[in-house]
Amino acid sequence: MKKITIAIDGFSSTGKSTLAKALAKQLGYVYVDSGAMYRAVTLYAMRNNWIDATQFNRSELIAHLNQIELLFKFNESKGIADIYLNGEYVEDEIRTLGVSQFVSQVAEVPEVRKKLVEQQQAFGKDKGVIMDGRDIGTVVFPDAELKVFMTASPEIRAQRRFDEMIQKDSSVTMAEVYENVVERDRIDTTREDSPLVMATDAIEVDNSTLSREEQLKLILGLASNKIND
């Protein structure tokens, strides 16, 4: 059966990763979480005190990029791959609100994007890959056979993220999460290097009122059409 590349882009907290993981399982494809890669680099910068609420030392991060090694390892219990930063499992730590507050700033840095895009393109050289992020269909895989752009209202996205995060951190507030969602939208859509835009040949999916099952069925149908084309 022909293998294709599927690029899923969109705003934060639209369920891109959840959809991509489900698609990968259904199709037997490799799933790559590009967002996890940017989050891991952000965590590295935070640990080295190069970024916080008052400052961002871009030059130090850029100077140490060659010391950052990112690796995905398949987790049999989850059925998906977890990310490791310099050999350390960081899958849970990169999902915190603290990392979320700074990841868009780190993702703005051209040198960071160049390093990670090269790795992402290497992951997909043999096709049969599903990748989600902000610039997958426009920069990483501009020739992807299927491009999907996910969107939903900021209020709905903030509620989804809050419901997810409150299970791990009881101190997080809805107001904080909503502010973070809106700010990430602003940064992602206005940055100079690879801003978040919908590819001209992408299919827009507003999942504000769609269940996970409904959107999976929708995208599976689109993928099947491309595979059998």
Side-chain angles (χ1 to χ4, degrees):
M1 184 179 294
K2 181 179 74 173
K3 288 186 176 182
I4 66 173
T5 297
I6 301 176
I8 301 178
D9 290 307
F11 293 95
S12 66
S13 304
T14 49
K16 298 185 300 297
S17 296
T18 299
L19 172 63
K21 292 171 187 175
L23 276 173
K25 287 183 179 180
Q26 289 284 336
L27 297 173
Y29 277 23
V30 174
Y31 165 64
V32 178
D33 184 351
S34 73
M37 299 172 72
Y38 286 100
R39 285 175 172 273
V41 174
T42 301
L43 178 61
Y44 186 81
M46 292 170 65
R47 287 178 171 181
N48 285 279
N49 299 314
W50 296 330
I51 189 168
D52 56 36
T54 62
Q55 57 87 36
F56 180 17
N57 193 331
R58 292 187 176 207
S59 60
E60 281 297 316
L61 174 58
I62 293 169
H64 290 82
L65 281 177
N66 63 348
Q67 296 181 22
I68 299 176
E69 180 182 87
L70 303 178
L71 181 67
F72 285 98
K73 294 183 181 179
F74 188 74
N75 184 321
E76 291 188 2
S77 64
K78 295 181 181 177
I80 57 174
D82 292 325
I83 194 166
Y84 286 71
L85 169 62
N86 292 338
E88 177 190 354
Y89 171 88
V90 293
E91 186 67 37
D92 294 330
E93 193 171 355
I94 64 170
R95 307 295 176 182
T96 62
L97 183 59
V99 172
S100 295
Q101 290 175 330
F102 303 124
V103 64
S104 290
Q105 294 179 60
V106 171
E108 280 189 296
V109 180
E111 291 82 358
V112 172
R113 301 200 70 81
K114 182 176 185 296
K115 174 185 175 71
L116 298 193
V117 166
E118 289 174 352
Q119 290 187 28
Q120 291 157 11
Q121 290 174 330
F123 288 144
K125 62 179 174 26
D126 297 322
K127 293 191 176 292
V129 65
I130 298 173
M131 193 175 298
D132 70 290
R134 302 290 191 280
D135 62 352
I136 309 305
T138 54
V139 176
V140 182
F141 297 129
D143 297 323
E145 290 85 351
L146 176 59
K147 300 177 185 178
V148 178
F149 190 88
M150 307 295 294
T151 185
S153 71
E155 292 80 9
I156 287 177
R157 289 186 285 128
Q159 185 65 58
R160 289 172 178 169
R161 175 57 64 86
F162 176 74
D163 291 343
E164 178 183 282
M165 299 188 72
I166 196 67
Q167 299 177 28
K168 299 178 181 179
D169 182 1
S170 60
S171 66
V172 69
T173 67
M174 180 64 185
E176 288 177 317
V177 176
Y178 179 79
E179 182 180 352
N180 175 247
V181 166
V182 173
E183 178 63 8
R184 288 183 67 186
D185 286 353
R186 185 192 67 78
I187 295 175
D188 290 343
T189 57
T190 59
R191 67 185 179 218
E192 292 186 11
D193 188 11
S194 303
L196 172 63
V197 294
M198 185 172 74
T200 55
D201 54 347
I203 298 171
E204 184 175 14
V205 175
D206 186 330
N207 65 4
S208 296
T209 60
L210 293 178
S211 67
R212 290 182 178 181
E213 293 74 19
E214 288 171 332
Q215 66 178 355
L216 175 59
K217 181 179 180 180
L218 172 63
I219 308 305
L220 268 175
L222 296 173
S224 296
N225 290 338
K226 292 293 184 180
I227 291 171
N228 297 315
D229 187 7

